Amino acid sequence: MFACSPIVALLAAGALLGGCTTVAGPRMDGNVQYGDARAVEALTNEFGSTDLQTIAEAMTRSLLQSRPITAPREAPVVTLAEVKNKTGEYIDTRAITEKIRNQLLKSGSVRFATAGVDMQGQVDELQRQNQTGLYKNSGKARMGQMQAARYRLEGNITSITKRTSNVKDVYYLFNLTLVDNESGMLEWADEKEIRKTSYR
């Protein structure tokens, strides 16, 4: 009969034990649990995650079907200004802006140039590479080589709130426009409406 060495026996036992173990999921303490990030969120009629996702998806889909995006052979370069909040409530418009940008980037049909609040970081990096003497000339990003954008995307969100003794109705209107930077012509625009009603 074939005799196993002690090392082989230990390895075999380890493999059997390893095959029986399961990977633990996220630990949940108290009343905290994970949910579906894309599930409809309707806790209040204030602006929420479902509204953000709905707006971003609708605007992205519409823009990707527009002539300025579909006509060129090469994906056009765009800048995206942070969405302006014209409502009476706090809305993280940076999150809306980034959600739209990310979905457009994933499509491969649009490229984004640095602009707005991100421009200072780009300028600081170029100056650090070119003016501090810390970097080799062969590896430096050269000044004056940044890609200018053909178009700029600008958006805003407004709201109208109506109340009675037992009803609160909130109407949100989101607008997004695409402007040709050279001609100043408005090349595309669309809007998304959301209405939310709550009862006491």
Side-chain angles (χ1 to χ4, degrees):
M1 179 180 282
F2 178 75
C4 266
S5 72
I7 295 175
V8 172
L10 283 172
L11 289 173
L16 285 172
L17 289 173
C20 295
T21 59
T22 58
V23 177
R27 184 177 172 198
M28 300 176 192
D29 293 327
N31 294 323
V32 178
Q33 64 180 10
Y34 280 82
D36 181 359
R38 298 192 61 81
V40 174
E41 176 266 313
L43 296 176
T44 71
N45 58 0
E46 295 176 342
F47 192 88
S49 61
T50 300
D51 306 317
L52 187 153
Q53 292 166 352
T54 300
I55 285 171
E57 289 169 5
M59 291 296 102
T60 301
R61 186 167 53 249
S62 177
L63 180 58
L64 290 175
Q65 295 171 353
S66 67
R67 183 186 54 79
I69 305 304
T70 59
R73 293 181 180 178
E74 188 178 18
V77 179
V78 176
T79 57
L80 177 56
E82 188 165 330
V83 171
K84 295 176 182 176
N85 180 9
K86 296 183 177 181
T87 73
E89 66 181 275
Y90 171 77
I91 295 176
D92 186 355
T93 55
R94 180 78 172 174
I96 302 174
T97 306
E98 291 176 349
K99 187 78 169 175
I100 292 171
R101 181 202 62 195
N102 293 347
Q103 291 191 13
L104 289 170
L105 272 174
K106 286 179 183 178
S107 75
S109 299
V110 178
R111 295 176 296 156
F112 283 94
T114 302
V117 295
D118 299 318
M119 178 59 81
Q120 189 57 53
Q122 177 70 13
V123 171
D124 290 345
E125 181 60 27
L126 285 171
Q127 289 177 341
R128 182 166 39 251
Q129 290 191 27
N130 286 277
Q131 298 176 10
T132 61
L134 297 173
Y135 299 90
K136 295 179 181 178
N137 286 332
S138 59
K140 289 191 298 189
R142 293 177 296 157
M143 300 287 282
Q145 301 299 309
M146 287 177 61
Q147 178 70 50
R150 170 73 186 274
Y151 300 105
R152 73 178 184 275
L153 267 173
E154 298 175 326
N156 64 73
I157 183 167
T158 59
S159 68
I160 299 172
T161 302
K162 299 289 186 181
R163 287 186 178 88
T164 65
S165 58
N166 59 351
V167 178
K168 180 182 177 183
D169 182 85
V170 184
Y171 168 80
Y172 293 101
L173 178 63
F174 182 85
N175 279 287
L176 195 64
T177 59
L178 184 73
V179 179
D180 187 308
N181 284 325
E182 185 172 50
S183 67
M185 297 293 291
L186 179 63
E187 296 288 348
W188 169 87
D190 205 348
E191 63 185 23
K192 176 65 180 176
E193 298 171 295
I194 295 173
R195 168 163 262 119
K196 303 175 79 173
T197 305
S198 61
Y199 303 89
R200 287 186 180 179

